[in-house]
PDB file of all heavy atoms in Angstrom:
ATOM      1  N   THR A  19      99.153 119.190 212.112  1.00 98.00           N
ATOM      2  CA  THR A  19     100.000 119.217 213.310  1.00 98.00           C
ATOM      3  C   THR A  19     101.070 118.152 213.153  1.00 98.00           C
ATOM      4  O   THR A  19     100.767 116.990 212.853  1.00 98.00           O
ATOM      5  CB  THR A  19      99.193 118.935 214.588  1.00 98.00           C
ATOM      6  OG1 THR A  19      98.129 119.886 214.689  1.00 98.00           O
ATOM      7  CG2 THR A  19     100.084 119.036 215.817  1.00 98.00           C
ATOM      8  N   PHE A  20     102.311 118.547 213.363  1.00 98.00           N
ATOM      9  CA  PHE A  20     103.439 117.630 213.255  1.00 98.00           C
ATOM     10  C   PHE A  20     103.792 117.061 214.623  1.00 98.00           C
ATOM     11  O   PHE A  20     103.827 117.783 215.610  1.00 98.00           O
ATOM     12  CB  PHE A  20     104.662 118.344 212.673  1.00 98.00           C
ATOM     13  CG  PHE A  20     104.514 118.670 211.213  1.00 98.00           C
ATOM     14  CD1 PHE A  20     103.912 119.843 210.808  1.00 98.00           C
ATOM     15  CD2 PHE A  20     104.970 117.788 210.248  1.00 98.00           C
ATOM     16  CE1 PHE A  20     103.753 120.139 209.465  1.00 98.00           C
ATOM     17  CE2 PHE A  20     104.823 118.066 208.898  1.00 98.00           C
ATOM     18  CZ  PHE A  20     104.215 119.247 208.499  1.00 98.00           C
ATOM     19  N   ILE A  21     104.049 115.766 214.652  1.00 98.00           N
ATOM     20  CA  ILE A  21     104.542 115.109 215.858  1.00 98.00           C
ATOM     21  C   ILE A  21     106.021 114.855 215.634  1.00 98.00           C
ATOM     22  O   ILE A  21     106.417 114.146 214.699  1.00 98.00           O
ATOM     23  CB  ILE A  21     103.784 113.796 216.130  1.00 98.00           C
ATOM     24  CG1 ILE A  21     102.289 114.101 216.278  1.00 98.00           C
ATOM     25  CG2 ILE A  21     104.333 113.111 217.367  1.00 98.00           C
ATOM     26  CD1 ILE A  21     101.394 112.906 216.097  1.00 98.00           C
ATOM     27  N   ALA A  22     106.840 115.473 216.453  1.00 98.00           N
ATOM     28  CA  ALA A  22     108.291 115.385 216.286  1.00 98.00           C
ATOM     29  C   ALA A  22     108.922 115.306 217.668  1.00 98.00           C
ATOM     30  O   ALA A  22     108.232 115.265 218.688  1.00 98.00           O
ATOM     31  CB  ALA A  22     108.809 116.599 215.506  1.00 98.00           C
ATOM     32  N   ARG A  23     110.248 115.295 217.707  1.00 96.00           N
ATOM     33  CA  ARG A  23     110.948 115.219 218.996  1.00 96.00           C
ATOM     34  C   ARG A  23     112.285 115.947 218.897  1.00 96.00           C
ATOM     35  O   ARG A  23     112.769 116.243 217.819  1.00 96.00           O
ATOM     36  CB  ARG A  23     111.145 113.761 219.410  1.00 96.00           C
ATOM     37  CG  ARG A  23     111.903 112.949 218.405  1.00 96.00           C
ATOM     38  CD  ARG A  23     111.900 111.477 218.751  1.00 96.00           C
ATOM     39  NE  ARG A  23     112.530 110.723 217.667  1.00 96.00           N
ATOM     40  CZ  ARG A  23     112.478 109.420 217.542  1.00 96.00           C
ATOM     41  NH1 ARG A  23     111.842 108.701 218.434  1.00 96.00           N
ATOM     42  NH2 ARG A  23     113.063 108.819 216.535  1.00 96.00           N
ATOM     43  N   GLY A  24     112.847 116.208 220.054  1.00 98.00           N
ATOM     44  CA  GLY A  24     114.198 116.756 220.149  1.00 98.00           C
ATOM     45  C   GLY A  24     114.378 118.086 219.456  1.00 98.00           C
ATOM     46  O   GLY A  24     113.490 118.945 219.436  1.00 98.00           O
ATOM     47  N   ALA A  25     115.577 118.239 218.877  1.00 98.00           N
ATOM     48  CA  ALA A  25     115.943 119.504 218.233  1.00 98.00           C
ATOM     49  C   ALA A  25     115.048 119.825 217.049  1.00 98.00           C
ATOM     50  O   ALA A  25     114.769 120.993 216.758  1.00 98.00           O
ATOM     51  CB  ALA A  25     117.408 119.450 217.789  1.00 98.00           C
ATOM     52  N   HIS A  26     114.571 118.797 216.354  1.00 98.00           N
ATOM     53  CA  HIS A  26     113.686 119.017 215.200  1.00 98.00           C
ATOM     54  C   HIS A  26     112.376 119.660 215.662  1.00 98.00           C
ATOM     55  O   HIS A  26     111.918 120.647 215.072  1.00 98.00           O
ATOM     56  CB  HIS A  26     113.439 117.679 214.500  1.00 98.00           C
ATOM     57  CG  HIS A  26     112.788 117.785 213.156  1.00 98.00           C
ATOM     58  ND1 HIS A  26     113.225 118.638 212.159  1.00 98.00           N
ATOM     59  CD2 HIS A  26     111.723 117.113 212.633  1.00 98.00           C
ATOM     60  CE1 HIS A  26     112.457 118.497 211.086  1.00 98.00           C
ATOM     61  NE2 HIS A  26     111.540 117.572 211.354  1.00 98.00           N
ATOM     62  N   LEU A  27     111.802 119.134 216.731  1.00 98.00           N
ATOM     63  CA  LEU A  27     110.576 119.713 217.294  1.00 98.00           C
ATOM     64  C   LEU A  27     110.821 121.147 217.743  1.00 98.00           C
ATOM     65  O   LEU A  27     110.030 122.052 217.434  1.00 98.00           O
ATOM     66  CB  LEU A  27     110.082 118.865 218.461  1.00 98.00           C
ATOM     67  CG  LEU A  27     108.911 119.438 219.263  1.00 98.00           C
ATOM     68  CD1 LEU A  27     107.677 119.620 218.397  1.00 98.00           C
ATOM     69  CD2 LEU A  27     108.613 118.543 220.467  1.00 98.00           C
ATOM     70  N   ASP A  28     111.908 121.375 218.458  1.00 98.00           N
ATOM     71  CA  ASP A  28     112.222 122.722 218.950  1.00 98.00           C
ATOM     72  C   ASP A  28     112.338 123.710 217.798  1.00 98.00           C
ATOM     73  O   ASP A  28     111.830 124.831 217.876  1.00 98.00           O
ATOM     74  CB  ASP A  28     113.522 122.712 219.760  1.00 98.00           C
ATOM     75  CG  ASP A  28     113.399 121.928 221.058  1.00 98.00           C
ATOM     76  OD1 ASP A  28     112.252 121.698 221.510  1.00 98.00           O
ATOM     77  OD2 ASP A  28     114.443 121.522 221.603  1.00 98.00           O
ATOM     78  N   ALA A  29     112.999 123.289 216.715  1.00 98.00           N
ATOM     79  CA  ALA A  29     113.196 124.182 215.573  1.00 98.00           C
ATOM     80  C   ALA A  29     111.865 124.486 214.874  1.00 98.00           C
ATOM     81  O   ALA A  29     111.616 125.623 214.468  1.00 98.00           O
ATOM     82  CB  ALA A  29     114.183 123.563 214.591  1.00 98.00           C
ATOM     83  N   ILE A  30     110.997 123.469 214.724  1.00 98.00           N
ATOM     84  CA  ILE A  30     109.693 123.699 214.088  1.00 98.00           C
ATOM     85  C   ILE A  30     108.872 124.664 214.931  1.00 98.00           C
ATOM     86  O   ILE A  30     108.230 125.588 214.399  1.00 98.00           O
ATOM     87  CB  ILE A  30     108.941 122.375 213.878  1.00 98.00           C
ATOM     88  CG1 ILE A  30     109.676 121.488 212.859  1.00 98.00           C
ATOM     89  CG2 ILE A  30     107.509 122.628 213.405  1.00 98.00           C
ATOM     90  CD1 ILE A  30     109.131 120.076 212.764  1.00 98.00           C
ATOM     91  N   ARG A  31     108.881 124.484 216.240  1.00 98.00           N
ATOM     92  CA  ARG A  31     108.125 125.390 217.112  1.00 98.00           C
ATOM     93  C   ARG A  31     108.669 126.809 217.043  1.00 98.00           C
ATOM     94  O   ARG A  31     107.922 127.786 217.069  1.00 98.00           O
ATOM     95  CB  ARG A  31     108.191 124.893 218.547  1.00 98.00           C
ATOM     96  CG  ARG A  31     107.290 123.718 218.836  1.00 98.00           C
ATOM     97  CD  ARG A  31     107.478 123.251 220.248  1.00 98.00           C
ATOM     98  NE  ARG A  31     106.420 122.349 220.689  1.00 98.00           N
ATOM     99  CZ  ARG A  31     106.511 121.590 221.762  1.00 98.00           C
ATOM    100  NH1 ARG A  31     107.599 121.629 222.535  1.00 98.00           N
ATOM    101  NH2 ARG A  31     105.522 120.788 222.099  1.00 98.00           N
ATOM    102  N   ARG A  32     109.992 126.939 216.988  1.00 98.00           N
ATOM    103  CA  ARG A  32     110.632 128.257 217.031  1.00 98.00           C
ATOM    104  C   ARG A  32     110.570 128.964 215.673  1.00 98.00           C
ATOM    105  O   ARG A  32     110.242 130.151 215.596  1.00 98.00           O
ATOM    106  CB  ARG A  32     112.075 128.093 217.494  1.00 98.00           C
ATOM    107  CG  ARG A  32     112.815 129.398 217.745  1.00 98.00           C
ATOM    108  CD  ARG A  32     114.199 129.156 218.350  1.00 98.00           C
ATOM    109  NE  ARG A  32     115.006 128.221 217.576  1.00 98.00           N
ATOM    110  CZ  ARG A  32     115.307 126.960 217.950  1.00 98.00           C
ATOM    111  NH1 ARG A  32     114.872 126.479 219.089  1.00 98.00           N
ATOM    112  NH2 ARG A  32     116.044 126.186 217.182  1.00 98.00           N
ATOM    113  N   ASN A  33     110.923 128.247 214.606  1.00 98.00           N
ATOM    114  CA  ASN A  33     111.105 128.889 213.301  1.00 98.00           C
ATOM    115  C   ASN A  33     110.157 128.405 212.215  1.00 98.00           C
ATOM    116  O   ASN A  33     110.218 128.888 211.089  1.00 98.00           O
ATOM    117  CB  ASN A  33     112.539 128.669 212.802  1.00 98.00           C
ATOM    118  CG  ASN A  33     113.571 129.171 213.785  1.00 98.00           C
ATOM    119  OD1 ASN A  33     113.432 130.254 214.327  1.00 98.00           O
ATOM    120  ND2 ASN A  33     114.593 128.363 214.032  1.00 98.00           N
ATOM    121  N   GLY A  34     109.326 127.404 212.506  1.00 98.00           N
ATOM    122  CA  GLY A  34     108.498 126.809 211.465  1.00 98.00           C
ATOM    123  C   GLY A  34     109.266 125.712 210.753  1.00 98.00           C
ATOM    124  O   GLY A  34     110.376 125.338 211.155  1.00 98.00           O
ATOM    125  N   LEU A  35     108.688 125.199 209.703  1.00 98.00           N
ATOM    126  CA  LEU A  35     109.290 124.121 208.912  1.00 98.00           C
ATOM    127  C   LEU A  35     109.684 124.662 207.550  1.00 98.00           C
ATOM    128  O   LEU A  35     108.843 125.187 206.817  1.00 98.00           O
ATOM    129  CB  LEU A  35     108.308 122.965 208.758  1.00 98.00           C
ATOM    130  CG  LEU A  35     108.820 121.748 207.991  1.00 98.00           C
ATOM    131  CD1 LEU A  35     109.883 121.006 208.806  1.00 98.00           C
ATOM    132  CD2 LEU A  35     107.665 120.804 207.655  1.00 98.00           C
ATOM    133  N   GLN A  36     110.956 124.555 207.216  1.00 98.00           N
ATOM    134  CA  GLN A  36     111.465 124.987 205.921  1.00 98.00           C
ATOM    135  C   GLN A  36     111.646 123.751 205.050  1.00 98.00           C
ATOM    136  O   GLN A  36     112.301 122.793 205.470  1.00 98.00           O
ATOM    137  CB  GLN A  36     112.809 125.705 206.083  1.00 98.00           C
ATOM    138  CG  GLN A  36     113.499 126.073 204.787  1.00 98.00           C
ATOM    139  CD  GLN A  36     112.728 127.134 204.000  1.00 98.00           C
ATOM    140  OE1 GLN A  36     112.166 128.061 204.593  1.00 98.00           O
ATOM    141  NE2 GLN A  36     112.699 126.994 202.678  1.00 98.00           N
ATOM    142  N   VAL A  37     111.060 123.763 203.863  1.00 98.00           N
ATOM    143  CA  VAL A  37     111.235 122.665 202.913  1.00 98.00           C
ATOM    144  C   VAL A  37     111.973 123.202 201.701  1.00 98.00           C
ATOM    145  O   VAL A  37     111.491 124.103 201.007  1.00 98.00           O
ATOM    146  CB  VAL A  37     109.886 122.053 202.495  1.00 98.00           C
ATOM    147  CG1 VAL A  37     110.099 120.946 201.468  1.00 98.00           C
ATOM    148  CG2 VAL A  37     109.144 121.506 203.719  1.00 98.00           C
ATOM    149  N   ASN A  38     113.157 122.654 201.475  1.00 98.00           N
ATOM    150  CA  ASN A  38     113.958 123.004 200.306  1.00 98.00           C
ATOM    151  C   ASN A  38     113.800 121.865 199.302  1.00 98.00           C
ATOM    152  O   ASN A  38     114.174 120.731 199.574  1.00 98.00           O
ATOM    153  CB  ASN A  38     115.427 123.192 200.690  1.00 98.00           C
ATOM    154  CG  ASN A  38     115.599 124.301 201.705  1.00 98.00           C
ATOM    155  OD1 ASN A  38     114.887 125.299 201.667  1.00 98.00           O
ATOM    156  ND2 ASN A  38     116.521 124.131 202.627  1.00 98.00           N
ATOM    157  N   SER A  39     113.220 122.180 198.151  1.00 97.00           N
ATOM    158  CA  SER A  39     112.861 121.146 197.180  1.00 97.00           C
ATOM    159  C   SER A  39     113.336 121.507 195.789  1.00 97.00           C
ATOM    160  O   SER A  39     113.389 122.689 195.430  1.00 97.00           O
ATOM    161  CB  SER A  39     111.338 120.969 197.175  1.00 97.00           C
ATOM    162  OG  SER A  39     110.919 120.145 196.109  1.00 97.00           O
ATOM    163  N   VAL A  40     113.637 120.484 195.000  1.00 96.00           N
ATOM    164  CA  VAL A  40     113.995 120.712 193.601  1.00 96.00           C
ATOM    165  C   VAL A  40     112.813 121.313 192.835  1.00 96.00           C
ATOM    166  O   VAL A  40     112.997 121.889 191.769  1.00 96.00           O
ATOM    167  CB  VAL A  40     114.475 119.404 192.927  1.00 96.00           C
ATOM    168  CG1 VAL A  40     115.767 118.914 193.552  1.00 96.00           C
ATOM    169  CG2 VAL A  40     113.402 118.322 192.976  1.00 96.00           C
ATOM    170  N   ALA A  41     111.607 121.188 193.396  1.00 94.00           N
ATOM    171  CA  ALA A  41     110.410 121.728 192.750  1.00 94.00           C
ATOM    172  C   ALA A  41     110.074 123.136 193.248  1.00 94.00           C
ATOM    173  O   ALA A  41     109.101 123.726 192.797  1.00 94.00           O
ATOM    174  CB  ALA A  41     109.224 120.806 192.984  1.00 94.00           C
ATOM    175  N   GLY A  42     110.879 123.651 194.189  1.00 96.00           N
ATOM    176  CA  GLY A  42     110.607 124.970 194.754  1.00 96.00           C
ATOM    177  C   GLY A  42     110.531 124.915 196.268  1.00 96.00           C
ATOM    178  O   GLY A  42     109.929 124.000 196.827  1.00 96.00           O
ATOM    179  N   ASP A  43     111.157 125.864 196.919  1.00 98.00           N
ATOM    180  CA  ASP A  43     111.209 125.893 198.380  1.00 98.00           C
ATOM    181  C   ASP A  43     109.941 126.530 198.948  1.00 98.00           C
ATOM    182  O   ASP A  43     109.291 127.349 198.296  1.00 98.00           O
ATOM    183  CB  ASP A  43     112.416 126.712 198.852  1.00 98.00           C
ATOM    184  CG  ASP A  43     113.732 126.177 198.312  1.00 98.00           C
ATOM    185  OD1 ASP A  43     113.768 125.018 197.854  1.00 98.00           O
ATOM    186  OD2 ASP A  43     114.724 126.924 198.348  1.00 98.00           O
ATOM    187  N   PHE A  44     109.609 126.139 200.176  1.00 98.00           N
ATOM    188  CA  PHE A  44     108.507 126.797 200.872  1.00 98.00           C
ATOM    189  C   PHE A  44     108.719 126.691 202.373  1.00 98.00           C
ATOM    190  O   PHE A  44     109.502 125.883 202.870  1.00 98.00           O
ATOM    191  CB  PHE A  44     107.147 126.230 200.448  1.00 98.00           C
ATOM    192  CG  PHE A  44     106.929 124.776 200.780  1.00 98.00           C
ATOM    193  CD1 PHE A  44     106.345 124.391 201.972  1.00 98.00           C
ATOM    194  CD2 PHE A  44     107.285 123.792 199.869  1.00 98.00           C
ATOM    195  CE1 PHE A  44     106.130 123.056 202.276  1.00 98.00           C
ATOM    196  CE2 PHE A  44     107.069 122.446 200.152  1.00 98.00           C
ATOM    197  CZ  PHE A  44     106.496 122.075 201.360  1.00 98.00           C
ATOM    198  N   HIS A  45     108.004 127.544 203.098  1.00 98.00           N
ATOM    199  CA  HIS A  45     108.123 127.631 204.549  1.00 98.00           C
ATOM    200  C   HIS A  45     106.723 127.677 205.144  1.00 98.00           C
ATOM    201  O   HIS A  45     105.849 128.382 204.634  1.00 98.00           O
ATOM    202  CB  HIS A  45     108.908 128.899 204.928  1.00 98.00           C
ATOM    203  CG  HIS A  45     109.087 129.065 206.404  1.00 98.00           C
ATOM    204  ND1 HIS A  45     108.239 129.833 207.169  1.00 98.00           N
ATOM    205  CD2 HIS A  45     110.011 128.565 207.258  1.00 98.00           C
ATOM    206  CE1 HIS A  45     108.638 129.797 208.434  1.00 98.00           C
ATOM    207  NE2 HIS A  45     109.701 129.036 208.518  1.00 98.00           N
ATOM    208  N   VAL A  46     106.508 126.885 206.194  1.00 98.00           N
ATOM    209  CA  VAL A  46     105.218 126.896 206.894  1.00 98.00           C
ATOM    210  C   VAL A  46     105.460 127.025 208.386  1.00 98.00           C
ATOM    211  O   VAL A  46     106.548 126.714 208.885  1.00 98.00           O
ATOM    212  CB  VAL A  46     104.381 125.627 206.596  1.00 98.00           C
ATOM    213  CG1 VAL A  46     103.939 125.597 205.146  1.00 98.00           C
ATOM    214  CG2 VAL A  46     105.137 124.362 206.955  1.00 98.00           C
ATOM    215  N   ARG A  47     104.459 127.507 209.077  1.00 98.00           N
ATOM    216  CA  ARG A  47     104.522 127.612 210.541  1.00 98.00           C
ATOM    217  C   ARG A  47     103.405 126.760 211.136  1.00 98.00           C
ATOM    218  O   ARG A  47     102.391 127.294 211.607  1.00 98.00           O
ATOM    219  CB  ARG A  47     104.410 129.065 210.985  1.00 98.00           C
ATOM    220  CG  ARG A  47     105.653 129.875 210.667  1.00 98.00           C
ATOM    221  CD  ARG A  47     105.681 131.154 211.487  1.00 98.00           C
ATOM    222  NE  ARG A  47     106.993 131.762 211.448  1.00 98.00           N
ATOM    223  CZ  ARG A  47     107.978 131.500 212.272  1.00 98.00           C
ATOM    224  NH1 ARG A  47     107.810 130.617 213.231  1.00 98.00           N
ATOM    225  NH2 ARG A  47     109.142 132.093 212.171  1.00 98.00           N
ATOM    226  N   PRO A  48     103.582 125.441 211.121  1.00 97.00           N
ATOM    227  CA  PRO A  48     102.525 124.553 211.603  1.00 97.00           C
ATOM    228  C   PRO A  48     102.567 124.372 213.116  1.00 97.00           C
ATOM    229  O   PRO A  48     103.529 124.741 213.782  1.00 97.00           O
ATOM    230  CB  PRO A  48     102.871 123.229 210.909  1.00 97.00           C
ATOM    231  CG  PRO A  48     104.370 123.253 210.896  1.00 97.00           C
ATOM    232  CD  PRO A  48     104.745 124.697 210.637  1.00 97.00           C
ATOM    233  N   LYS A  49     101.516 123.763 213.632  1.00 98.00           N
ATOM    234  CA  LYS A  49     101.528 123.331 215.020  1.00 98.00           C
ATOM    235  C   LYS A  49     102.435 122.115 215.119  1.00 98.00           C
ATOM    236  O   LYS A  49     102.547 121.336 214.173  1.00 98.00           O
ATOM    237  CB  LYS A  49     100.112 122.982 215.474  1.00 98.00           C
ATOM    238  CG  LYS A  49      99.150 124.162 215.483  1.00 98.00           C
ATOM    239  CD  LYS A  49      97.734 123.732 215.751  1.00 98.00           C
ATOM    240  CE  LYS A  49      97.160 123.159 214.472  1.00 98.00           C
ATOM    241  NZ  LYS A  49      95.714 122.874 214.558  1.00 98.00           N
ATOM    242  N   ALA A  50     103.084 121.952 216.270  1.00 98.00           N
ATOM    243  CA  ALA A  50     103.978 120.809 216.470  1.00 98.00           C
ATOM    244  C   ALA A  50     103.985 120.423 217.938  1.00 98.00           C
ATOM    245  O   ALA A  50     103.922 121.280 218.820  1.00 98.00           O
ATOM    246  CB  ALA A  50     105.393 121.153 216.007  1.00 98.00           C
ATOM    247  N   THR A  51     104.065 119.125 218.185  1.00 98.00           N
ATOM    248  CA  THR A  51     104.076 118.599 219.543  1.00 98.00           C
ATOM    249  C   THR A  51     104.832 117.281 219.572  1.00 98.00           C
ATOM    250  O   THR A  51     105.026 116.649 218.530  1.00 98.00           O
ATOM    251  CB  THR A  51     102.632 118.392 220.063  1.00 98.00           C
ATOM    252  OG1 THR A  51     102.674 117.925 221.401  1.00 98.00           O
ATOM    253  CG2 THR A  51     101.882 117.375 219.209  1.00 98.00           C
ATOM    254  N   ALA A  52     105.236 116.858 220.755  1.00 98.00           N
ATOM    255  CA  ALA A  52     105.825 115.537 220.939  1.00 98.00           C
ATOM    256  C   ALA A  52     104.774 114.532 221.393  1.00 98.00           C
ATOM    257  O   ALA A  52     105.029 113.325 221.389  1.00 98.00           O
ATOM    258  CB  ALA A  52     106.960 115.598 221.957  1.00 98.00           C
ATOM    259  N   ASP A  53     103.595 115.011 221.767  1.00 98.00           N
ATOM    260  CA  ASP A  53     102.585 114.172 222.397  1.00 98.00           C
ATOM    261  C   ASP A  53     101.305 114.112 221.568  1.00 98.00           C
ATOM    262  O   ASP A  53     100.536 115.077 221.533  1.00 98.00           O
ATOM    263  CB  ASP A  53     102.270 114.728 223.793  1.00 98.00           C
ATOM    264  CG  ASP A  53     101.287 113.880 224.566  1.00 98.00           C
ATOM    265  OD1 ASP A  53     100.903 112.795 224.077  1.00 98.00           O
ATOM    266  OD2 ASP A  53     100.915 114.303 225.665  1.00 98.00           O
ATOM    267  N   PRO A  54     101.030 112.971 220.915  1.00 98.00           N
ATOM    268  CA  PRO A  54      99.809 112.859 220.119  1.00 98.00           C
ATOM    269  C   PRO A  54      98.532 113.108 220.927  1.00 98.00           C
ATOM    270  O   PRO A  54      97.539 113.588 220.372  1.00 98.00           O
ATOM    271  CB  PRO A  54      99.850 111.411 219.617  1.00 98.00           C
ATOM    272  CG  PRO A  54     101.295 111.038 219.632  1.00 98.00           C
ATOM    273  CD  PRO A  54     101.874 111.772 220.808  1.00 98.00           C
ATOM    274  N   ALA A  55      98.555 112.824 222.215  1.00 97.00           N
ATOM    275  CA  ALA A  55      97.361 113.029 223.048  1.00 97.00           C
ATOM    276  C   ALA A  55      96.969 114.502 223.120  1.00 97.00           C
ATOM    277  O   ALA A  55      95.809 114.825 223.414  1.00 97.00           O
ATOM    278  CB  ALA A  55      97.586 112.470 224.448  1.00 97.00           C
ATOM    279  N   MET A  56      97.898 115.407 222.861  1.00 97.00           N
ATOM    280  CA  MET A  56      97.607 116.845 222.881  1.00 97.00           C
ATOM    281  C   MET A  56      96.782 117.279 221.668  1.00 97.00           C
ATOM    282  O   MET A  56      96.225 118.380 221.659  1.00 97.00           O
ATOM    283  CB  MET A  56      98.912 117.654 222.916  1.00 97.00           C
ATOM    284  CG  MET A  56      99.769 117.388 224.145  1.00 97.00           C
ATOM    285  SD  MET A  56      98.968 117.875 225.683  1.00 97.00           S
ATOM    286  CE  MET A  56      98.923 119.643 225.482  1.00 97.00           C
ATOM    287  N   ILE A  57      96.695 116.408 220.650  1.00 98.00           N
ATOM    288  CA  ILE A  57      96.001 116.770 219.409  1.00 98.00           C
ATOM    289  C   ILE A  57      94.560 116.294 219.416  1.00 98.00           C
ATOM    290  O   ILE A  57      93.654 117.018 219.037  1.00 98.00           O
ATOM    291  CB  ILE A  57      96.748 116.173 218.189  1.00 98.00           C
ATOM    292  CG1 ILE A  57      98.199 116.650 218.166  1.00 98.00           C
ATOM    293  CG2 ILE A  57      96.032 116.535 216.891  1.00 98.00           C
ATOM    294  CD1 ILE A  57      99.078 115.906 217.184  1.00 98.00           C
ATOM    295  N   GLY A  58      94.342 115.053 219.826  1.00 97.00           N
ATOM    296  CA  GLY A  58      93.004 114.470 219.784  1.00 97.00           C
ATOM    297  C   GLY A  58      92.716 113.874 218.415  1.00 97.00           C
ATOM    298  O   GLY A  58      93.557 113.901 217.513  1.00 97.00           O
ATOM    299  N   PRO A  59      91.506 113.330 218.217  1.00 98.00           N
ATOM    300  CA  PRO A  59      91.173 112.665 216.956  1.00 98.00           C
ATOM    301  C   PRO A  59      91.261 113.597 215.756  1.00 98.00           C
ATOM    302  O   PRO A  59      90.874 114.765 215.832  1.00 98.00           O
ATOM    303  CB  PRO A  59      89.736 112.183 217.177  1.00 98.00           C
ATOM    304  CG  PRO A  59      89.601 112.069 218.657  1.00 98.00           C
ATOM    305  CD  PRO A  59      90.444 113.184 219.221  1.00 98.00           C
ATOM    306  N   VAL A  60      91.772 113.058 214.662  1.00 98.00           N
ATOM    307  CA  VAL A  60      91.911 113.793 213.403  1.00 98.00           C
ATOM    308  C   VAL A  60      91.260 112.989 212.282  1.00 98.00           C
ATOM    309  O   VAL A  60      90.902 111.823 212.458  1.00 98.00           O
ATOM    310  CB  VAL A  60      93.397 114.065 213.071  1.00 98.00           C
ATOM    311  CG1 VAL A  60      94.035 114.971 214.118  1.00 98.00           C
ATOM    312  CG2 VAL A  60      94.186 112.765 212.932  1.00 98.00           C
ATOM    313  N   GLU A  61      91.129 113.612 211.130  1.00 98.00           N
ATOM    314  CA  GLU A  61      90.577 112.910 209.966  1.00 98.00           C
ATOM    315  C   GLU A  61      91.614 112.028 209.293  1.00 98.00           C
ATOM    316  O   GLU A  61      91.289 110.975 208.760  1.00 98.00           O
ATOM    317  CB  GLU A  61      90.042 113.921 208.955  1.00 98.00           C
ATOM    318  CG  GLU A  61      88.854 114.712 209.458  1.00 98.00           C
ATOM    319  CD  GLU A  61      88.520 115.848 208.527  1.00 98.00           C
ATOM    320  OE1 GLU A  61      87.970 115.571 207.444  1.00 98.00           O
ATOM    321  OE2 GLU A  61      88.835 117.008 208.876  1.00 98.00           O
TER     322      GLU A  61
END
């Protein structure tokens, strides 16, 4: 789960996260929030 804010958070929620890399591009559709309390304890 990604913790983000503003337009970046909105874009991840709407379209997922696009990573353009010299090693190869990929796209994921992760969970995203502005509030860590919405996630709870993690490993």
Side-chain angles (χ1 to χ4, degrees):
T19 303
F20 289 87
I21 301 161
R23 58 188 174 193
H26 192 49
L27 173 61
D28 293 341
I30 294 170
R31 283 177 166 165
R32 187 174 53 252
N33 303 316
L35 182 70
Q36 174 67 38
V37 178
N38 300 325
S39 170
V40 295
D43 302 343
F44 63 91
H45 180 265
V46 293
R47 289 198 166 272
K49 296 172 282 188
T51 182
D53 183 5
M56 299 296 293
I57 303 168
V60 296
E61 294 170 74

